[in-house]
Amino acid sequence: SSKIRNLEVQSTDDVAGLEDCIDFSLAKTISKIEGKLEKGGLPDCLDNDDIIPSIGNEMGAEAQIRFLKAKLRVTQEELDSVVSECRKKDDENQNLKSRLKDIEEENTRLQRTTSMQRSQTEKYKTLSQEAKKKSEVLQQEVIALEKVLQ
């Protein structure tokens, strides 16, 4: 499978996207390969040593078909695994997006609460300072009245 991953892609038509994988049929692919073999041997792309090893030239057609079917099954399993992993990652991304949205909403709510608390703190500081000044004035009056009484 590592050899398959290292193949260079000649055109974008050869690339299987995620949407291609959904409609992919192992039976159809096998029957296409068998049809090509019956019509005139292996297709040009299968002559590559990366797909059929050099010993493949000594194999009969049936052995090559079995080899290609096995290789196709392995590739399909790898593809299924990757598609499954992609779906899991998509689900995880959706969950994380949902959590992010909830956290952002909570953050906004907490910022509003903090802002209200700051304004209330400023209001109470002002009230406290006014009460302190009033208390000092009343203290002065008490002292003045005590002097008058004496």
Side-chain angles (χ1 to χ4, degrees), residues 40-96:
L42 292 172
D44 293 339
C45 68
L46 296 179
D47 290 338
N48 191 334
D49 282 346
D50 288 340
I51 296 174
I52 296 180
S54 60
I55 197 165
N57 297 333
E58 298 170 10
M59 285 192 219
E62 288 295 318
Q64 288 179 348
I65 289 172
R66 284 194 307 274
F67 176 80
L68 291 172
K69 283 181 180 180
K71 195 161 197 100
L72 185 61
R73 281 186 194 97
V74 168
T75 304
Q76 181 65 41
E77 289 171 4
E78 289 174 355
L79 178 64
D80 291 344
S81 173
V82 169
V83 168
S84 174
E85 190 175 322
C86 285
R87 287 187 179 134
K88 287 178 186 176
K89 295 292 182 184
D90 285 343
D91 291 343
E92 185 178 347
N93 280 342
Q94 289 300 326
N95 290 338
L96 290 173

Side-chain angles (χ1 to χ4, degrees), residues 107-145:
N107 187 25
T108 303
R109 186 186 65 77
L110 289 173
Q111 284 177 345
R112 273 190 249 122
T113 302
T114 302
S115 177
M116 283 182 6
Q117 288 174 344
R118 282 186 183 143
S119 65
Q120 285 179 345
T121 301
E122 291 299 318
K123 177 182 166 184
Y124 290 131
K125 278 183 183 178
T126 305
L127 289 174
S128 173
Q129 289 173 352
E130 289 174 3
K132 188 175 181 181
K133 287 179 184 177
K134 193 173 190 180
S135 173
E136 289 175 359
V137 168
L138 290 174
Q139 287 270 339
Q140 297 281 335
E141 285 182 24
V142 167
I143 292 172
L145 289 175

Side-chain angles (χ1 to χ4, degrees), residues 99-110 112:
R99 282 183 54 202
L100 178 63
K101 183 180 175 186
D102 292 345
I103 288 171
E104 286 174 343
E105 289 172 359
E106 178 74 7
N107 187 25
T108 303
R109 186 186 65 77
L110 289 173
R112 273 190 249 122

Side-chain angles (χ1 to χ4, degrees), residues 3-17 45 48 50:
K3 290 181 180 179
I4 292 173
R5 289 186 194 113
N6 293 332
L7 287 176
E8 291 184 25
V9 178
Q10 297 297 326
S11 70
T12 57
D13 295 337
D14 296 338
V15 177
C45 68
N48 191 334
D50 288 340

